[in-house]
Amino acid sequence: MFVNDIKTDFYDVISDSRVLILAGFDVDSLCACRILQYLFHCDNILYTLIPIPGRAALVKAFKQHGEQVKYVIMINCGATIDVVELLQPKDEVVFYIADSHRPVDVYNVYNGVQVRLLTKPDDVEGIPEFDDIFREDESEDESDSDIRLNERVLERRRERRLWKEQRQKLMFDYTQFSYYGISTAVAMFELAWKLSKDTNDLLWWAIVGLTEQYLFRKIEQDKYVLQVGNLQTHVSRHNHVSVRDTNVQSVTSLRISFEKDLQLALYRHWSLYESLKHTTYTACKFRLWSLKGQKRLCEFLAEMGLPLVECKQKFPAMDMQLRNNVITWFEELAEKYRLDDIVYGSFVGKHGFRNKFCAADVVYSTLSLLETADKESDPTDRFLMALDSLAKKNTDLLLKGIEMVKMQLTAVFKQVQTILDLRQLTCAGPYLYAAIEEGLPEAKYFGSPGRLGMLARFLLQAQYSATKNRRLRNLPLVLATPSLESAGTSLVVGIPPIAEESTKNFFGKAFEQAAHKSRAEVILDYFDTSVVQLRTEDRAKFFDALISLLS
């Protein structure tokens, strides 16, 4: 059931009770948690926060902590599964689900007793009508053993068979694509705004949550622009400082501004040359894995008037005049070099004299802390460390994450270059396929869903840029890598083709059907259904089943 008023029907209801927060493993979830924590601290609401990497962890956490609470808040987990069926709670337990994963399970939509969805109904597409998918079983007066079945019984059976076929079709159409709705962090900020408790820090976390969706192609550009326009009004309201208040404002307070920014990863904390090389967009435009592409990049920098020596040193150490004009010069040459999207609108946060981070920097850093390449690290410790890095006082932790991202982006570029050079990306008919073999030094950087998705998007774009084969625009990509979680298993991700402007992904349903058809040992544990785990030895028969399904 959808909640009409998030303040009255959610926050006022839970304010007198201890609540259990179950939070998914992504940056948007972390930002939403920070906002909720602030609100709960303001109103002295007791809570327990448990990180949830997947469905198995969800069941385990609820068994351990669900007995003590009446209200459970699920952040970026739970919307796509029937939580009541999976968790078997007591009758008095109520689940409040704030999840951007789509589609929402129909049992959650129509459960008016124990499930409350903290999202707007128009943010969920194509929900089937209740009468089309739910029907009470009618008892038949006549026995099946009767030799002569009257026309009424036969007609009733025929209607039920047709209804089941129609229901199956409706459910397939509704669930065949996975996609994302509005950022959960933005939704939690709107709650804070309605409670008159919104601050600049909360606004910044909402911005970071939205930026994560944009950077990792979870939402389309027009949805991002629409949400940015909404957040801009809050930025103007919170960061408008009159002349009278200038002396009062603390130097350490956070100031947010909306600016034109370069779509280059970490360029403020790296060299401009390295950032250009390791950003998917520019690396694929210039084909920087080739010698010819590197020469073209040097020509581009020379035409802008940027000496290579300046570009290869850290961005803050560049000549101030060059540094201040970089965005303008990029805009002027964007059309000539077909870099139409190199400049985009984003937010920048500043506090103190030295700390200046764009929202994308924070997203990359937080994700690297959340999905570190260390096999021995505990998921809960990673989650809490990433959560702490969002606090303004923990700049050192954020900078540590940025250094980790540099290593990860370097590994991604090297792996893409290797796959292209050795022609390891093969066409399996209806999709492109590549696998990273176990034992490679860089393999440890790709054994988690977020970083594997980054590599897959880079690889698909690079392959198309390298060949310019028009058919590749319509082919999706499936990428497999050794999993960090357990030996002998592979992590598999599927991403839609370049030609698709929509971010909807059909691989979740396809993986599920391929697992059933091949009888491979597949673990469908992640809330992002386009990512699965399977035994490495079952990989061949799983992909054979996938080919036959998609052909």
Side-chain angles (χ1 to χ4, degrees):
M1 185 181 80
F2 291 100
V3 167
N4 294 322
D5 188 330
I6 194 170
K7 177 183 179 298
T8 306
D9 300 334
F10 164 58
Y11 197 79
D12 291 348
V13 173
I14 66 167
S15 58
D16 295 329
S17 306
R18 185 184 187 93
V19 296
L20 173 64
I21 304 175
L22 304 175
F25 260 60
D26 58 65
V27 178
D28 183 37
S29 175
L30 288 165
C31 294
C33 283
R34 288 299 274 173
I35 295 171
L36 263 186
Q37 282 182 316
Y38 175 84
L39 295 178
F40 287 175
H41 290 164
C42 287
D43 294 318
N44 296 318
I45 298 174
L46 299 175
Y47 67 91
T48 302
L49 173 62
I50 308 294
I52 305 296
R55 300 186 188 193
L58 175 62
V59 174
K60 181 180 178 181
F62 184 75
K63 281 184 178 179
Q64 290 179 345
H65 304 278
E67 298 289 332
Q68 308 164 13
V69 294
K70 181 180 179 182
Y71 300 113
V72 180
I73 302 172
M74 306 179 78
I75 298 177
N76 280 1
C77 62
T80 58
I81 54 179
D82 183 358
V83 291
V84 175
E85 177 67 24
L86 180 69
L87 301 179
Q88 298 292 316
K90 294 180 180 177
D91 292 341
E92 63 270 15
V93 175
V94 178
F95 296 94
Y96 288 97
I97 303 176
D99 190 357
S100 60
H101 292 94
R102 301 288 182 271
V104 178
D105 190 276
V106 291
Y107 288 96
N108 294 334
V109 173
Y110 291 114
N111 188 325
V113 180
Q114 288 188 275
V115 180
R116 305 283 188 274
L117 298 171
L118 304 180
T119 187
K120 298 174 183 176
D122 56 5
D123 193 35
V124 184
E125 300 175 9
I127 302 174
E129 294 295 330
F130 181 86
D131 293 335
D132 292 335
I133 54 174
F134 295 106
R135 174 174 172 171
E136 292 184 6
D137 291 328
E138 297 179 7
S139 60
E140 297 183 358
D141 298 328
E142 293 79 9
S143 172
D144 288 344
S145 61
D146 291 344
I147 299 174
R148 296 179 61 188
L149 296 174
N150 59 40
E151 292 182 4
R152 183 183 167 200
V153 175
L154 291 173
E155 181 64 23
R156 195 162 57 201
R157 287 185 176 180
R158 178 177 172 275
E159 286 179 3
R160 182 157 186 82
R161 177 174 55 80
L162 292 174
W163 178 84
K164 282 184 176 180
E165 290 175 357
Q166 179 65 14
R167 181 187 189 277
Q168 189 174 6
K169 181 180 181 303
L170 285 171
M171 290 301 296
F172 178 80
D173 291 342
Y174 177 62
T175 60
Q176 65 176 322
F177 293 107
S178 61
Y179 60 102
Y180 286 82
I182 293 172
S183 160
T184 305
V186 171
M188 292 299 105
F189 175 78
E190 289 179 357
L191 169 63
W193 176 51
K194 289 180 179 179
L195 293 169
S196 300
K197 293 174 182 172
D198 54 318
T199 67
N200 235 10
D201 289 328
L202 270 60
L203 177 57
W204 179 244
W205 294 329
I207 288 168
V208 172
L210 175 64
T211 305
E212 185 242 7
Q213 288 193 317
Y214 175 69
L215 288 178
F216 300 140
R217 290 235 349 126
K218 293 182 177 181
I219 57 173
E220 295 84 1
Q221 188 170 5
D222 57 343
K223 289 184 179 179
Y224 171 75
V225 172
L226 193 66
Q227 290 298 317
V228 162
N230 177 38
L231 292 175
Q232 263 187 281
T233 59
H234 294 293
V235 169
S236 301
R237 181 168 55 87
H238 278 285
N239 295 273
H240 175 72
V241 181
S242 64
V243 177
R244 183 181 61 184
D245 297 333
T246 303
N247 297 326
V248 179
Q249 190 181 29
S250 171
V251 174
T252 58
S253 62
L254 178 66
R255 290 150 290 162
I256 305 173
S257 59
F258 180 76
E259 302 177 5
K260 285 182 179 179
D261 203 6
L262 295 175
Q263 196 166 212
L264 297 177
L266 310 172
Y267 74 93
R268 288 186 178 88
H269 310 277
W270 216 350
S271 71
L272 195 60
Y273 184 84
E274 291 294 325
S275 183
L276 282 162
K277 181 179 177 181
H278 295 102
T279 299
T280 301
Y281 181 70
T282 49
C284 293
K285 285 290 183 180
F286 289 106
R287 304 179 195 176
L288 293 177
W289 50 85
S290 67
L291 188 60
K292 186 178 177 181
Q294 293 173 22
K295 287 181 178 178
R296 184 167 168 78
L297 175 61
C298 291
E299 289 173 11
F300 171 70
L301 295 173
E303 192 168 346
M304 276 200 299
L306 289 173
L308 202 56
V309 176
E310 291 283 344
C311 294
K312 287 191 174 182
Q313 63 181 334
K314 282 202 171 183
F315 187 77
M318 284 178 67
D319 181 89
M320 185 176 291
Q321 186 177 358
L322 298 176
R323 194 171 68 231
N324 292 340
N325 288 297
V326 161
I327 295 178
T328 306
W329 293 339
F330 266 88
E331 274 189 299
E332 290 173 354
L333 290 177
E335 186 176 353
K336 180 178 178 180
Y337 286 86
R338 298 180 181 178
L339 299 171
D340 302 325
D341 298 325
I342 191 65
V343 177
Y344 75 118
S346 185
F347 296 92
V348 174
K350 306 173 188 174
H351 60 90
F353 294 104
R354 298 178 58 188
N355 299 312
K356 181 177 181 180
F357 300 94
C358 70
D361 296 341
V362 180
V363 170
Y364 283 122
S365 174
T366 308
L367 181 66
S368 70
L369 294 170
L370 187 64
E371 297 188 356
T372 181
D374 184 8
K375 291 183 180 181
E376 305 300 323
S377 61
D378 181 67
T380 301
D381 292 340
R382 296 201 309 265
F383 183 92
L384 295 176
M385 181 170 61
L387 195 67
D388 287 343
S389 72
L390 292 170
K392 189 171 55 182
K393 61 183 179 181
N394 291 330
T395 307
D396 291 343
L397 201 53
L398 195 63
L399 292 172
K400 175 187 174 183
I402 286 174
E403 293 304 314
M404 292 168 63
V405 176
K406 291 178 185 178
M407 292 189 291
Q408 291 165 9
L409 292 178
T410 303
V412 166
F413 181 83
K414 285 181 179 178
Q415 189 61 49
V416 168
Q417 190 173 28
T418 301
I419 292 174
L420 293 179
D421 289 346
L422 300 180
R423 300 181 185 275
Q424 293 176 336
L425 188 63
T426 58
C427 182
Y431 62 85
L432 296 171
Y433 168 72
I436 300 168
E437 298 304 324
E438 196 164 0
L440 291 176
E442 287 82 15
K444 65 179 182 180
Y445 290 108
F446 315 124
S448 56
R451 284 175 284 132
L452 184 60
M454 287 170 61
L455 174 61
R457 286 186 291 274
F458 196 152
L459 181 58
L460 184 59
Q461 186 67 51
Q463 178 66 18
Y464 174 69
S465 300
T467 61
K468 287 298 180 184
N469 185 341
R470 288 191 176 185
R471 184 168 177 263
L472 291 181
R473 285 185 61 82
N474 299 307
L475 289 179
L477 170 67
V478 177
L479 182 62
T481 188
S483 174
L484 286 176
E485 295 184 15
S486 57
T489 62
S490 293
L491 194 67
V492 181
V493 66
I495 60 170
I498 296 172
E500 291 289 335
E501 293 183 5
S502 170
T503 57
K504 290 184 176 180
N505 195 327
F506 61 83
F507 272 112
K509 197 71 175 177
F511 284 163
E512 183 182 334
Q513 292 179 346
H516 178 73
K517 187 174 182 179
S518 65
R519 297 184 180 179
E521 193 174 318
V522 180
I523 303 172
L524 305 169
D525 190 59
Y526 295 103
F527 298 111
D528 182 352
T529 54
S530 62
V531 183
V532 296
Q533 270 194 66
L534 74 159
R535 289 174 60 189
T536 304
E537 61 188 38
D538 290 341
R539 217 158 60 182
K541 64 179 181 180
F542 175 77
F543 289 128
D544 287 342
L546 193 61
I547 290 170
S548 64
L549 276 171
L550 299 179
S551 296

